[in-house]
């Protein structure tokens, strides 16, 4: 505990969550200190249970059942508990020592009890705690192999009835339902542990179906049922490893599950996890069934994904390529996936062929996957083919005509030492677009943006004057030209400031003040500061009711 600081909490949570956590100090209640851990409740949107591990293997860590915490983040509620712990730092060592003493005392007392005394104690607790009684009843039925009793109890555990209102479990009750459903996982594990693994397989599959039905009627926004589903998947795998079921039957079930035929929706089972259970014969059946399913539905997402996983696991690059090649996207993205697979397999010639084919077969070069174009240009650069890179960038720019494709063409052409000629052709296209009022990004001619990006301010100003420009572009032009064309820039700033004087809001005031600073700079360059003073004085008089604006102007000495 001596090493815990606010800096530790801020590092784990981040500045935003740390600051928000400060506001929850009064919401922390029920602090309980153990040996190395501290728990509490923090009242936010809901009441959340939080736990800090003070000196675990990885140092300070924490868990919270709020949505953000469930994603593995160190949330504001944990920050609030951490700050509470720091505020009680002097008493913490004493509380930890007391916790160790209580634990040792309890363990010693239980160890000294006779069997009859322990049984009496357990029976007393079972009589007082209904949930404990149900858990122990289920474990008892599992231990004695009473399959019908376990099956009936699992059905009860997965029944939404006790938690549902009008047939639906609301968000506020979903956690409690998931906690109850989680006991089904423990029951199946107990069956496997008691030598009834084959029954465990059967009940795990039945529970998956019941959970799939239940999830349709539960607000599982926080993913609690997903955790139950993952537990059932693990319990099924453990049972299979213990029981060693028929490999062919297991392979068929896994294929059905992977392709969604079982409609469980929550248990993300990877058939490859069962390789040790299936053995060579079972894996052969699994691959055969996967191929048949894929051949019957080559565009099915589940079929493609399963085939790809099996092919990669077997190191069969050609099979992976065949899966992707059966359903090529018109924008070339699938060609890129294939090219990357071949690159990884150290088959660069074939990879380059697929990438070039993707561009060649694209129905619309304007809609081609830009990552494919980038990938191909990188390969051209690596293989000393700068002219091909320029040609591809030229074609891509001609199809899209954006500032980005212009910049990419410029970079490729400079690398090939041919930018002046390429620039002339590219600007001709943009000039024709501007003259025809074909709008680019931001609803304004790309020509002005391209010229500004080239630092050709005078030509950009001329183009804006002749073909028009967006206010955003005029502002950029004025900023770039202010030092050499202060009178022209001043006209732009005054025009842009005028409509802002009719609007309200802090964001508007910040824009207006920024323009006023530029206007002042122009008057300074023009040697007319008195004109600026007159302008600002009149503006302040007209805007006197806008107190936030005047405060902002005062802060900038306007």
């Amino acid at each position: 505990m001596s090493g815990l600081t606010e800096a530790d909490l801020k590092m784990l949570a981040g500045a935003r969550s740390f600051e928000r956590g400060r506001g929850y100090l009064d919401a922390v209640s029920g602090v309980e200190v153990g040996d190395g851990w501290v728990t509490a409740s923090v009242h936010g949107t809901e009441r959340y249970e939080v736990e800090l591990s003070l000196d675990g293997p990885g140092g300070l860590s924490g868990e919270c059942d709020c949505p953000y915490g469930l994603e593995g983040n160190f949330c504001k509620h944990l920050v609030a508990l951490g700050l509470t712990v720091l505020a009680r730092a002097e008493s913490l060592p004493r509380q930890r020592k007391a916790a160790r003493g209580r634990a040792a005392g309890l363990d010693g007392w239980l160890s000294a009890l006779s069997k009859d005394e322990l049984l009496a104690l357990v029976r007393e607790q079972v009589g007082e705690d209904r949930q404990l009684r149900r858990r122990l009843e289920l474990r008892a039925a599992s231990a004695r192999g009473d399959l019908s009793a376990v099956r009936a109890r699992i059905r009860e555990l997965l029944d939404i009835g006790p938690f549902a209102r009008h047939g639906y479990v609301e968000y506020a009750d979903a956690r409690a339902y998931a906690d109850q459903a989680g006991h089904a996982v423990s029951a199946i594990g107990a069956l496997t542990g008691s030598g009834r693994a084959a029954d465990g397989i059967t009940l795990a599959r039945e529970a998956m179906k019941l959970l799939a039905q239940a999830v349709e009627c539960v607000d599982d926004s926080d993913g609690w049922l997903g955790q139950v589903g993952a537990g059932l998947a693990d319990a099924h795998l453990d049972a299979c490893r213990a029981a060693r079921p028929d490999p062919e039957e297991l392979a068929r079930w896994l294929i059905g599950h992977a392709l969604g035929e079982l409609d469980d929706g929550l248990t993300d089972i990877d058939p490859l996890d069962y390789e040790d259970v299936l053995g060579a014969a079972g894996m052969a059946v699994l691959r055969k069934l996967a191929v048949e399913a894929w051949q019957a539905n080559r565009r099915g997402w589940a079929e493609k994904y399963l085939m790809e996983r099996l092919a990669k696991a077997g190191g069969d690059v050609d099979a992976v390529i065949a899966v992707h090649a059966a359903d090529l996207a018109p924008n070339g993205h699938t060609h890129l996936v294939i090219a990357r697979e071949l690159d990884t397999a150290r088959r660069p010639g074939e990879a380059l062929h697929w990438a070039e084919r993707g561009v060649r077969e694209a129905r619309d070069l304007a809609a081609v996957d830009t990552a494919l174009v980038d990938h191909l240009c990188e390969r051209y650069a690596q293989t000393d083919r700068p002219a091909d890179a320029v040609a591809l960038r030229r074609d891509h720019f001609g199809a899209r005509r954006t500032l980005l494709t212009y910049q990419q063409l410029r970079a490729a052409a400079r690398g090939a030492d041919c930018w002046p000629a390429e620039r002339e052709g590219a600007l001709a296209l943009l000039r024709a677009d501007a003259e025809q009022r074909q709008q680019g990004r931001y609803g304004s001619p790309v020509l002005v943006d391209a010229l500004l990006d080239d630092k050709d301010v005078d030509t950009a100003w001329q183009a804006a004057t002749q073909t028009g420009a967006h206010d955003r572009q005029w502002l950029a032009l004025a900023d770039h030209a202010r030092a050499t064309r202060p009178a022209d820039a001043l006209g732009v700033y005054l025009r842009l400031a005028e409509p802002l004087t009719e609007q309200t809001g802090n964001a508007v005031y910040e824009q207006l003040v920024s323009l006023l600073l530029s206007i002042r700079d122009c008057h300074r360059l023009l040697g007319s500061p008195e004109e600026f003073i007159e302008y600002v004085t009149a503006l302040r008089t007209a805007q006197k009711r806008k107190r936030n604006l005047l405060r902002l102007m005062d802060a900038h000495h306007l």
Side-chain angles (χ1 to χ4, degrees), residues 319-335:
V320 174
I321 293 169
V323 171
H324 291 300
D327 185 25
L328 295 172
N331 69 346
H333 174 73
T334 320
H335 298 77

Side-chain angles (χ1 to χ4, degrees), residues 461 474-496 515 518-519 521-523 525-526:
W461 194 288
W474 275 117
L475 179 59
L477 280 166
D479 289 341
H480 281 85
R482 186 165 63 215
T484 56
R485 306 174 66 157
D488 290 335
L490 177 60
V492 172
Y493 292 136
L494 289 171
R495 180 180 66 78
L496 295 178
L515 289 170
S518 298
I519 292 170
D521 196 30
C522 288
H523 277 295
L525 292 170
L526 291 168

Side-chain angles (χ1 to χ4, degrees), residues 138 152-159 163 177 180-181 183-184 187:
L138 184 56
R153 186 70 184 110
I154 286 177
R155 288 184 173 278
E156 290 178 14
L157 291 170
L158 294 172
D159 180 16
F163 303 89
Y177 170 72
Q180 175 177 291
H183 295 312

Side-chain angles (χ1 to χ4, degrees), residues 285-306:
V285 174
L286 187 73
R287 291 191 178 93
K288 176 178 177 293
L289 294 173
V291 170
E292 290 175 355
W294 172 65
Q295 289 176 339
N297 184 18
R298 291 177 183 267
R299 294 191 174 186
W301 180 90
E303 288 81 359
K304 288 169 58 179
Y305 179 73
L306 179 58

Side-chain angles (χ1 to χ4, degrees), residues 233-248:
D234 291 339
H236 182 264
L237 178 57
D238 290 342
C240 287
R241 283 175 172 160
R244 296 289 166 175
D246 177 68
E248 182 172 342

Side-chain angles (χ1 to χ4, degrees), residues 372-393:
L372 174 61
V373 176
D374 294 341
H375 174 88
L376 192 49
C377 286
E378 288 174 8
R379 293 300 176 271
Y380 285 149
Q382 292 170 357
T383 54
D384 195 25
R385 295 170 60 180
D388 289 328
V390 171
L392 179 55
R393 290 298 188 190

